[in-house]
Each structure stands twice: as C-alpha cells, then as structure tokens.
Amino acid sequence: MDVHLEREDRIIQSNAKTVKELLKELNLNPTIVLVSKNDELIIEETKLNDKDIIKIFPVISGG
Amino acid sequence: MGCNTCKTKPVIELINNDTKLCKKCFIRYFEKKVKKTIRNYNLIKSGDHIGVGVSGGKDSLTTLYLINEITKNNPKIKLSAILINEGIDNYREKTIKTAQEFCNKLNINLNIYSYKEEFGKKLDEVIKGKHACSVCGVLRRNLLNKYARENKVTKLATGHNMDDETQSILMNQFKNNIRVSARLGPITGIRDNPKFVRRIKPLYFVTEKEVATYAFLKGFLDKFTECPNNSDSFRNKVRDLINEFENKFPGTKHNIINSFIETLPLLKKEYSKNSHEIIECKTCGEPCSQNICRACQTIEIKFQ
C-alpha cells in the first residue's frame, strides 16, 4: 500500500493492517498527525487494504 | 465502531474523552466549542472591530472563518484581517496567497505589513533557523499591536489553540516566568491600556489536532505548511514533551488548561496590583515596561 508522507513529500510502502499499526511502524505520535484513506480522514482503529491510498499530514505548523 | 452520536463513519477520536465523531458531528462539536468560548469569556461585544491576525495557516483561517460566521449578520461588529510578512523565503509567499484568496472569498479586508517596509530588511536577511522564532515573535507582536490600534481595531483575534497555550504555560513554569502567565488566557492582558489592543483566542479550548481536522474537513487548505524556521527552539522541546504525555496519558492538555484557568483569576489579581508601570518606548512610542521596547532593542541589534 502507498503511504504518502505529506511533510517529507515522499511515498513509502507499508503492509500495516490498521492505522494504529502504521503509525507505530513509522514511530509517529497519533496526537499530532491526521491520516486519510482515499482522501477521507480516518481513525486509529480503521483497517487498511493494499489498494488504499494513505496520506499522513502533520498538524503542527507554528514557529 | 461508528460515531458516538449518529453511528456513521468516524473521522476523529477525541483523545480526552474517548469519543469518536463523524464529519458532520465533529464540525458541529467544534463550532459549538468555539462559540461557547467566545460567549463564556465575552470575547466579542457589540460595537467591536475585530482584527484577525492571519498567517494563511490552518489556525488563523479557522479563526477568521468562524468569527465571520458568527458576526456577518451583525452590522454593529466590524471584521478585518491583518497579515505580517516577515520575509521568509519559500514559505510566506505561499501563505500570503492563501490568505488573500481566503479573504477575497469571504469579502474581508486584508491589510498586509512587512518587516522589509517597517524595518528595512526581511527576516531572512537578518536571522534564519532555530533562533529566528524569538526575534520574529517580538517584531510580529509589535506590528500587530501597532497596526491594529491604527486601524481602530478593538480586539485582536489570534489563532492560538490549546496546544499553543499549554506550551506557553509550561514554558513560563520552566523559566519561572509566572508574571508572564498572568497575561495569558482566552483574553489577554491584566489591565486596560489604550495603547494595547486586547487579544482574544477563540480556539483556546480546542487542540491543534482538532483545528487541523476542522480545516481539512472544511477544505481550507490543500496542504499544511510549516515555517522553515520551526526547528529546535525551547518551545519545540516543550511541545514534544506535552505531546508525548498526551499520547501516554490522554487528557494531559485539557488538564493543564483547566487547572491553569482555575488559577488565572488569582494570578491576574496578584499581578494587577504589582504589574510594571506601562510607559511609552522612547524610540517608537509603543507601550512597554522599559525605556526602550523589546522590538526596538531587537531592531537595534539585528537590523542595523
């Protein structure tokens, strides 16, 4: 499955079965990212499939 | 498991109270929370001219959008937007364009002021990286207050959210700056002063993740931009610490804010008796507590 890391502007591959598993794999804190599946926001327990397009957005923008 | 309210597909899990909400229910929850903050703290009154400090990011656009929604049918409340262009290459140009388009769409007047015109140089020409935030913050606050006052703005609304405020509270604790914390809260300041425009924070009780979710669902931004100078500052260390705690102990941010809100009236009372006298800066005439304000001291060191 393609996972777009919006902050780094790159795409990686993952076989994670849920968002929770994916964030753990990437060592990302779920309280500071948004995750979308096929352009719709999803929560940690959402199941993922091989054909899904996943995007991860950082929520922090301040300086 | 679906949305706690209507059982449809959830878009967010509110970490502090184990609630899942769908798009429609989350938007309603978020707007209700912001309106409640405005009402409970009397942030906006009839006769006010609200100036929203916008950067083109999710927080300020959300603030502008919601204040416009709340006030657009009230002819006794005026709304405008102020943007400070610090001069940060490959960042600010994009966010200015976003802010301009957003204001045009809502038919809100946007006034833009820049460091280059005010101080003769762009921020990038003076400082870059991790030390830029403190210089930038001092100058931005100075210009926002100056131009809000000159434009007869009665309240300056900013996009500060719960995350920003919890960071400020802990930073002041870690640096023994409780006097500075007394000026925080949903409406800033300790005493009225005609030269200081009071700041209001309608997003005070919503987390940064909630603001990002709202901005995403409303389609305000196609991409969240991040300031290139947003690197290794003290604030970032405190932010990481709080976010780590929030992940391990859900509700940490709400607990910091709620306990602070309980003590804030006592802090304001204590420091209103004891606060430094407000005088005018001998260089620029802006209000400050020393002969030369921090903005002029910064300009003297960095911009001359």
Side-chain angles (χ1 to χ4, degrees):
Chain A
M1 150 182 72
D2 282 352
V3 179
H4 298 241
L5 303 175
E6 296 292 312
R7 188 182 192 202
E8 293 86 354
D9 206 10
R10 68 189 174 97
I11 301 172
I12 57 153
Q13 292 296 311
S14 171
N15 295 317
K17 299 288 175 222
T18 63
V19 175
K20 193 173 184 169
E21 220 178 284
L22 175 64
L23 295 180
K24 202 170 174 187
E25 188 181 300
L26 299 173
N27 200 22
L28 287 172
N29 181 339
T31 68
I32 53 167
V33 292
L34 301 186
V35 183
S36 74
K37 179 169 101 172
N38 309 326
D39 292 327
E40 285 188 3
L41 291 184
I42 49 175
I43 62 170
E44 276 189 80
E45 67 188 42
T46 307
K47 291 196 170 79
L48 306 174
N49 295 309
D50 278 354
K51 286 179 185 167
D52 290 330
I53 295 173
I54 304 300
K55 290 181 186 170
I56 300 179
F57 303 86
V59 305
I60 295 162
S61 54
Chain B
M1 200 175 143
C3 168
N4 281 50
T5 314
C6 69
K7 308 296 173 205
T8 55
K9 203 163 54 176
V11 293
I12 188 169
E13 188 166 3
L14 305 178
I15 197 164
N16 60 309
N17 57 9
D18 204 20
T19 301
K20 298 180 183 78
L21 295 175
C22 70
K23 178 178 176 178
K24 199 174 153 194
C25 293
F26 172 73
I27 287 175
R28 193 166 49 217
Y29 152 88
F30 185 90
E31 291 179 349
K32 206 171 152 188
K33 214 163 177 192
V34 175
K35 283 176 189 169
K36 194 175 165 192
T37 304
I38 292 174
R39 198 174 51 244
N40 284 359
Y41 291 89
N42 212 5
L43 299 188
I44 299 174
K45 286 189 274 193
S46 185
D48 267 337
H49 174 184
I50 307 295
V52 181
V54 295
S55 63
K58 66 182 191 313
D59 303 289
S60 61
L61 296 187
T62 297
T63 305
L64 184 63
Y65 173 82
L66 285 175
I67 293 181
N68 184 53
E69 280 299 300
I70 293 163
T71 63
K72 66 185 177 190
N73 295 321
N74 186 340
K76 290 182 179 165
I77 297 171
K78 195 177 164 189
L79 180 62
S80 64
I82 305 176
L83 186 149
I84 306 298
N85 178 2
E86 307 91 348
I88 304 170
D89 289 342
N90 300 318
Y91 168 66
R92 193 45 89 206
E93 304 92 336
K94 291 178 220 160
T95 62
I96 289 176
K97 192 169 170 271
T98 306
Q100 280 170 328
E101 285 169 1
F102 199 82
C103 287
N104 285 344
K105 214 166 148 187
L106 299 182
N107 202 19
I108 293 168
N109 187 32
L110 172 67
N111 298 302
I112 302 178
Y113 306 95
S114 72
Y115 286 8
K116 180 86 180 169
E117 278 177 34
E118 285 293 320
F119 311 126
K121 284 178 189 166
K122 291 161 46 171
L123 185 72
D124 271 354
E125 294 175 64
V126 173
I127 190 167
K128 279 185 179 182
K130 64 182 180 183
H131 299 298
C133 298
S134 55
V135 171
C136 186
V138 167
L139 300 181
R140 192 172 53 234
R141 277 193 294 277
N142 175 277
L143 289 187
L144 279 173
N145 187 66
K146 179 181 167 186
Y147 285 107
R149 195 181 63 239
E150 284 189 17
N151 291 328
K152 298 192 168 38
V153 163
T154 54
K155 308 248 178 65
L156 183 62
T158 63
H160 286 94
N161 56 48
M162 183 183 282
D163 291 47
D164 300 318
E165 191 79 351
T166 54
Q167 290 152 25
S168 299
I169 293 164
L170 284 201
M171 284 164 74
N172 289 336
Q173 291 280 355
F174 289 170
K175 291 196 167 184
N176 191 20
N177 269 341
I178 300 303
R179 180 182 290 274
V180 180
S181 280
R183 294 190 216 131
L184 298 174
I187 182 158
T188 62
I190 302 172
R191 290 189 303 203
D192 280 328
N193 183 295
K195 282 211 143 188
F196 270 130
V197 180
R198 283 252 167 152
R199 286 162 189 241
I200 57 171
K201 302 171 191 168
L203 306 184
Y204 196 87
F205 291 100
V206 286
T207 64
E208 184 146 32
K209 178 158 178 167
E210 289 171 351
V211 181
T213 301
Y214 184 80
F216 183 97
L217 294 174
K218 296 293 271 185
F220 292 162
L221 299 164
D222 46 16
K223 196 165 181 160
F224 296 124
T225 49
E226 196 174 342
C227 178
N229 291 329
N230 186 13
S231 53
D232 192 26
S233 65
F234 182 60
R235 177 173 288 273
N236 286 8
K237 296 279 183 210
V238 173
R239 180 173 68 198
D240 292 346
L241 180 81
I242 296 171
N243 284 329
E244 204 185 311
F245 261 77
E246 181 72 27
N247 193 25
K248 283 186 185 155
F249 309 104
T252 295
K253 290 173 193 173
H254 285 78
N255 292 340
I256 294 172
I257 283 290
N258 291 338
S259 55
F260 178 70
I261 282 289
E262 269 193 52
T263 55
L264 188 58
L266 300 172
L267 287 178
K268 286 201 187 285
K269 196 175 164 193
E270 177 63 23
Y271 288 104
S272 66
K273 286 186 286 184
N274 260 319
S275 64
H276 294 298
E277 194 193 344
I278 302 293
I279 53 174
E280 288 180 11
C281 170
K282 288 193 172 151
T283 307
C284 70
E286 282 297 296
C288 62
S289 54
Q290 306 157 59
N291 285 335
I292 307 290
C293 72
R294 279 185 69 201
C296 286
Q297 289 176 28
T298 304
I299 294 160
E300 175 77 27
I301 298 165
K302 303 283 182 189
F303 282 74
Q304 302 292 321

